[in-house]
Amino acid sequence: MRRTAGLLALAAVPTAVLAVFFLLPVWGMVERGLWPDGSFDPGAMVEVIGRERTLRVVWFTLWTSTVSTVVAVVLGLPAAYVLHRLDLPLRSAVRAALLVPFVLPTVVVGIAIRELVAESGPLGFLGIDGSPVAILVGLVFFNVAVVIRTVGTAWESLDRRPAEAAAGLGASPFHVLRTVTFPALRPAIVSAAAVVFLFCATGFGVVLLLGGTRYSSVETEIYLLTTGAITGTVEYQAAAALSLVQLAAVVALLAVAARLRAVPDPTVRRARSAPARPRRQDVPALVATGLVLLAVAAPVVTLVVGSLRQDGAWTLAHYRALQGSGEDAGASGMDGGLLRVSVAEALTNSLRIAVDATWMALLLGLLVAVVVTRRTRGRTEARVRSAFDGLFMLPLGVSAVTLGFGFLITLDDPPLDLRSSPVLVPVAQALVALPLVVRVLVPVLQGIDDRQRQAAASLGAGPLRAALTVDVPVLWRPLLAAAGFAFAVSLGEFGATSFIVRAQVPTLPVVIYRLIGSPGALNYGTAMAASVVLAAATALVILVVERLRVPGVGVF
């Protein structure tokens, strides 16, 4: 009973936060969709789903997410092998560079891909600007790192001896790959594919910037309906109906992926083999990895070059303009003031909010990780822990846009009138980063032998002293890495923030999107310069995180 009470005490804070800032907004969204006028009316939701545009949006989301997932897996598998299985110079730096797109703000990814495929860009001759192909390129660019890191971490944890034994019995390299390696990697591949499909289906900024209102996913359609960008009127009920459809589809996807992963995940193994030197048969994989690195670098380089060019000449004017507040459509200079604050001040806001979101995500994530990894003793404790585990993973099934929309319609009445509160944006960003923090910390805590804690307790150490002696020395590096990821994700979060950010305290991604959508070459150039600054800050954080990563433990 005392252990169960302690478990409930540890889970009290994250449960309360989840109830107020997650379950309540999601329920408000459900209520708005099924009880639009105070009475149960599922027919209204059916009417919204049956619209021609809604069906077109759902179909566009499905096929683009499927194609992007397949391409990302095909491109990511060779790179996962090369960067996690072979001994190469600068391997860690290349891994960090390929991970940067995943944590880049989606608005930065969108503007980088747009600059790459625009008529004046390096790939302008392909004529794909404004087409679904550009959206596919953006989605693959954003998500290929998930495959590389998820499958790569599993690959570096595999024991080489089964494959070597099969080769010693005369099996060809392809036969070894098909019969030994791939079956062992199946859980990681399925997990990576499911996560990539989820991120593609909820890829907000990329689709919004590259598709506009012509090519819209379910995620962007929710945003467009709440802003009145489609019909000129706000349609909360239609947005709520689409949010429910998206929520049901994501939960079903996670359930299917969990059943397909019905074999032990190799990422939890601790016996690791040292990286091998490249052989002749690894040349195709090396070439494929080089092409992936080139494809990832091209949009970023194009974005940097574009931020330094104006009227065909090199200039720093766009970076100097970061001190201004944008150029009005009808103004000839910076005096018009498109924004309420300068772009530099928006960056300061983003940094401050990201710091707050990071410590919130770390506090919640650490409590969640401790709760779900402690060894259970008795059926009651096991059931309580299992219930909390499922509760804390719920944010994985709800997109940032749906979360922001839930905040918009539920947290504006007493006693929870938080729409004008400065704490709302960091809380939203912390919830977005929370699953990633938990994903980093849980495998590390699971790897600590509970007998060490028991030995410390038998020598007279209390729970706190045992944790400081046993857990902290193992946990401090992954904790710093989780902080880095949470900071990077929060710095570039756009989906939920776009709904709830206050006009006088905008974040940099919101400012970038507003500058892109405003006429004027200076506004667009300033948006590119701001995107470069945001990308550089993110890349720096990821390089530090890569130095702190524990090989063979967890995904990130």
Side-chain angles (χ1 to χ4, degrees):
M1 291 295 294
R2 186 166 57 183
R3 284 180 57 86
T4 302
L7 183 66
L8 292 173
L10 282 175
V13 173
T15 301
V17 172
L18 212 62
V20 174
F21 295 104
F22 178 77
L23 297 179
L24 180 62
V26 170
W27 171 248
M29 179 194 66
V30 172
E31 188 177 28
R32 183 65 65 95
L34 296 179
W35 286 269
D37 299 316
S39 58
F40 185 65
D41 184 16
M45 191 176 75
V46 173
E47 185 274 328
V48 171
I49 297 173
R51 294 176 184 176
E52 181 182 353
R53 178 177 173 87
T54 302
L55 295 175
R56 188 167 65 248
V57 165
V58 171
W59 169 243
F60 181 82
T61 304
L62 287 175
W63 81 259
T64 53
S65 300
T66 301
V67 173
S68 301
T69 300
V70 172
V71 175
V73 170
V74 171
L75 294 178
L77 288 179
Y81 169 74
V82 168
L83 297 176
H84 291 266
R85 203 65 170 172
L86 299 182
D87 185 14
L88 298 171
L90 301 177
R91 188 174 59 144
S92 296
V94 174
R95 279 199 306 231
L98 289 177
L99 186 59
V100 167
F102 173 64
V103 292
L104 278 181
T106 54
V107 289
V108 174
V109 175
I111 193 174
I113 299 298
R114 176 191 281 186
E115 192 69 10
L116 180 69
V117 303
E119 187 176 342
S120 59
L123 299 183
F125 65 93
L126 296 177
I128 62 174
D129 187 20
S131 71
V133 178
I135 297 175
L136 292 175
V137 171
L139 293 175
V140 173
F141 171 83
F142 186 70
N143 290 297
V144 70
V146 177
V147 179
I148 296 174
R149 187 54 66 101
T150 304
V151 179
T153 302
W155 217 325
E156 72 180 355
S157 301
L158 292 182
D159 192 344
R160 292 182 181 273
R161 289 173 293 183
E164 293 173 349
L169 293 174
S172 65
F174 177 76
H175 190 70
V176 172
L177 186 67
R178 183 176 62 85
T179 59
V180 178
T181 305
F182 273 177
L185 291 177
R186 191 188 74 179
I189 295 174
V190 171
S191 177
V195 172
V196 169
F197 186 91
L198 179 64
F199 286 152
C200 290
T202 57
F204 178 58
V206 175
V207 181
L208 185 64
L209 284 173
L210 297 177
T213 58
R214 182 182 180 187
Y215 299 108
S216 181
S217 66
V218 172
E219 186 91 342
T220 58
E221 189 76 357
I222 295 170
Y223 174 79
L224 295 174
L225 287 169
T226 58
T227 58
I230 300 175
T231 62
T233 58
V234 176
E235 298 183 68
Y236 281 155
Q237 183 181 342
L242 274 180
S243 298
L244 289 177
V245 172
Q246 185 187 56
L247 178 61
V250 169
V251 170
L253 172 66
L254 293 176
V256 170
R259 293 186 69 87
L260 292 175
R261 290 196 306 265
V263 296
D265 191 337
T267 61
V268 301
R269 299 176 187 172
R270 293 295 174 263
R272 296 174 56 247
S273 301
R277 300 189 64 177
R279 297 165 293 178
R280 181 178 301 177
Q281 64 192 46
D282 296 326
V283 171
L286 290 168
V287 172
T289 303
L291 293 176
V292 170
L293 183 61
L294 180 63
V296 167
V300 178
V301 172
T302 304
L303 178 64
V304 174
V305 171
S307 70
L308 295 171
R309 301 283 291 178
Q310 186 179 39
D311 298 328
W314 297 97
T315 179
L316 293 176
H318 298 149
Y319 289 90
R320 289 193 291 267
L322 295 177
Q323 296 296 327
S325 56
E327 179 184 33
D328 273 345
S332 58
M334 294 295 292
D335 299 332
L338 171 68
L339 308 171
R340 293 192 181 184
V341 301
S342 68
V343 181
E345 187 175 343
L347 175 60
T348 303
N349 294 336
S350 290
L351 292 172
R352 185 179 65 254
I353 291 172
V355 169
D356 291 336
T358 298
W359 71 257
M360 291 178 186
L362 281 182
L363 176 61
L364 295 175
L366 184 59
L367 290 174
V368 170
V370 171
V371 168
V372 302
T373 57
R374 289 297 184 182
R375 179 175 296 178
T376 57
R377 296 177 183 176
R379 291 184 179 180
T380 302
E381 186 179 348
R383 289 171 181 172
V384 172
R385 194 183 306 278
S386 177
F388 280 130
D389 191 12
L391 177 66
F392 296 141
M393 291 301 104
L394 280 178
L396 283 174
V398 178
S399 70
V401 166
T402 300
L403 184 63
F405 177 51
F407 281 4
L408 183 68
I409 64 177
T410 57
L411 300 181
D412 58 349
D413 294 316
L416 291 173
D417 186 4
L418 301 175
R419 286 284 305 280
S420 59
S421 173
V423 78
L424 194 57
V425 174
V427 166
Q429 295 184 359
L431 287 177
V432 173
L434 178 61
L436 189 58
V437 172
V438 174
R439 192 78 181 271
V440 172
L441 298 181
V442 165
V444 178
L445 287 175
Q446 285 177 334
I448 299 176
D449 193 340
D450 196 54
R451 289 174 296 182
Q452 298 180 24
R453 302 187 185 101
Q454 296 171 3
S458 67
L459 294 174
L464 180 60
R465 179 66 180 274
L468 292 174
T469 305
V470 177
D471 295 359
V472 171
V474 178
L475 194 61
W476 73 269
R477 282 174 57 123
L479 196 61
L480 290 176
F485 272 115
F487 184 84
V489 170
S490 302
L491 192 62
E493 207 287 315
F494 179 56
T497 306
S498 61
F499 282 88
I500 58 178
V501 69
R502 294 178 294 165
Q504 63 272 26
V505 192
T507 61
L508 191 55
V510 173
V511 166
I512 291 173
Y513 177 68
R514 187 168 183 185
L515 287 171
I516 293 172
S518 303
L522 182 59
N523 286 333
Y524 189 78
T526 305
M528 286 196 293
S531 298
V532 171
V533 172
L534 199 53
T538 304
L540 179 61
V541 171
I542 295 306
L543 286 173
V544 174
V545 167
E546 180 63 25
R547 297 281 297 179
L548 296 171
R549 192 177 77 91
V550 178
V553 176
V555 176
F556 294 104

